Amino acid sequence: MATLGNPQETIAVLQKYGFNFQKKFGQNFLIDTQVLDKIIAAAHIGPEDFVLEIGPGIGTMTQYLAEAAREVVAVEIDKNLIPILQDTLSDYNNVSVINDDILKVDIRQMAEERNGGKPIKVVANLPYYITTPIIMGLLENEVPLGSITVMVQKEVADRMQTGPGSKDYGALSLAVQYYAEPYIVANVPPNCFMPRPAVGSAVIRLTKHEKKPVEVKNPAFMFKIIRASFNQRRKTLQNGLHNSSELKISKEEVVNALEKMGLPVAVRGEKLTLAQFAMLSDLLTTNQE
Ligand code: SAM
């Protein structure tokens, strides 16, 4: 089977199998070898690595991963792609394809069984409709993880990487940065895909922190505070937290905590750093018990 990565080979495979793109699965296949090279280089894949690929499509990036890694498992939801993958990956004996929904796969168990519980690398051109649940699932569920190198919508990559003061700053920025160090590898225009997506894309690498950047007594409570702060972006923090149905906090308690932290009482959540959210959470958490 020929090496994939350019438009001609992709069209040839699609025609051979009479494949029709399914919009509901977020199918935009990569057709640019330079972008593929960049993803593989940014993921730092070596011959010892176990790689999980989410959504292999017709197997274009899977071929690159199989060349670089010790073992690749590719999870693809669309059953119509499975015979195609059997064909395009037939030259590799270190790749397994699983026909399943990635959100239903026990990745922790996979890492345990296939990589002796050692950190795995995740590489993907993600289906954009489930970017956040996939990434937060990987980060929150204590999957042994080295890094995640993924193609996402450009706007989402910006949200993951940015800090206070930017319009893109929000709950996703803080959640990602609590668990990992984000780095935008490249911006990728729509013409690198077939069919072309309506939005710009970017490759982002998230390297999992060995030690969390902040210490917080109750991380789940901190994330409730973060969500409440950004649910009502236009509101001050005291109103946002007081109005949240997830929390039981009075305005007075918020004001007291903000004063202890030396912050203006009318501050908005979008001004606070992760360290400040951790401090606020620790000051308020005692009131919840
Ligand atoms: N990796 C291929 C490439 O770069 O050409 C395809 C990327 S395409 C953006 C996303 C892929 O994810 C599609 O093959 C799609 O069928 C698959 N997919 C969508 N939802 C999925 C899910 N819940 N679980 C596993 N795969 C999924």
Side-chain angles (χ1 to χ4, degrees):
M1 173 40 77
T3 310
L4 299 170
N6 63 45
Q8 297 74 28
E9 292 295 347
T10 302
I11 290 168
V13 169
L14 298 177
Q15 282 182 346
K16 179 173 170 190
Y17 287 89
F19 178 78
N20 293 314
F21 289 101
Q22 296 226 46
K23 225 178 166 172
K24 67 170 180 187
F25 289 145
Q27 292 176 337
N28 300 95
F29 296 168
L30 263 170
I31 50 165
D32 187 304
T33 52
Q34 285 181 2
V35 174
L36 286 153
D37 284 334
K38 268 191 205 164
I39 297 174
I40 302 300
H44 302 305
I45 310 279
E48 301 296 312
D49 283 324
F50 174 92
V51 177
L52 166 64
E53 187 191 6
I54 298 163
I58 61 167
T60 308
M61 195 155 73
T62 326
Q63 291 185 340
Y64 282 68
L65 293 169
E67 296 282 347
R70 185 192 89 235
E71 187 181 347
V72 181
V73 170
V75 178
E76 173 57 61
I77 197 168
D78 186 352
K79 66 175 178 1
N80 294 332
L81 287 166
I82 305 305
I84 304 184
L85 288 163
Q86 273 159 5
D87 184 1
T88 59
L89 301 174
S90 58
D91 288 348
Y92 302 95
N93 59 10
N94 60 341
V95 181
S96 336
V97 175
I98 298 176
N99 183 200
D100 206 344
D101 176 350
I102 190 64
L103 296 177
K104 297 193 179 136
V105 173
D106 187 340
I107 301 170
R108 198 173 158 171
Q109 190 186 340
M110 181 192 289
E112 195 56 55
E113 285 172 6
R114 305 211 184 205
N115 205 37
K118 291 197 300 295
I120 66 166
K121 289 182 176 163
V122 177
V123 185
N125 170 16
L126 285 180
Y128 294 171
Y129 73 106
I130 43 169
T131 300
T132 304
I134 291 176
I135 291 188
M136 290 320 299
L138 286 165
L139 293 173
E140 282 173 349
N141 295 339
E142 299 302 328
V143 172
L145 195 64
S147 61
I148 306 175
T149 308
V150 281
M151 181 85 71
V152 296
Q153 223 173 300
K154 179 172 174 352
E155 188 203 317
V156 176
D158 290 340
R159 272 167 36 207
M160 289 183 194
Q161 202 196 25
T162 198
S166 148
K167 67 167 178 33
D168 294 321
Y169 186 55
L172 183 66
S173 327
L174 286 152
V176 163
Q177 291 165 31
Y178 177 69
Y179 291 104
E181 172 83 38
Y183 171 73
I184 294 185
V185 175
N187 288 325
V188 182
N191 63 4
C192 296
F193 303 85
M194 185 184 292
R196 294 180 185 200
V199 292
S201 302
V203 178
I204 190 164
R205 182 182 63 223
L206 309 175
T207 308
K208 188 118 186 241
H209 294 307
E210 280 181 18
K211 184 174 175 291
K212 301 272 189 308
V214 296
E215 273 185 33
V216 57
K217 285 183 205 150
N218 184 344
F221 180 65
M222 175 177 76
F223 283 113
K224 279 188 191 169
I225 291 190
I226 289 173
R227 274 197 299 275
S229 310
F230 288 97
N231 263 345
Q232 299 189 304
R233 248 192 132 85
R234 304 263 117 241
K235 292 227 156 66
T236 61
L237 202 59
Q238 43 168 312
N239 282 329
L241 300 193
H242 174 63
N243 293 346
S244 163
S245 57
E246 269 197 306
L247 300 164
K248 284 177 262 125
I249 306 179
S250 70
K251 287 189 190 180
E252 201 187 355
E253 284 166 331
V254 183
V255 168
N256 284 342
L258 291 174
E259 280 175 348
K260 274 191 198 150
M261 292 171 65
L263 288 169
V265 293
V267 73
R268 289 188 186 158
E270 63 200 19
K271 295 274 185 250
L272 268 63
T273 62
L274 176 59
Q276 287 171 320
F277 273 114
M279 208 184 292
L280 181 63
S281 169
D282 281 356
L283 286 169
L284 293 172
T285 193
T286 45
N287 304 329
Q288 302 293 303
E289 286 151 3

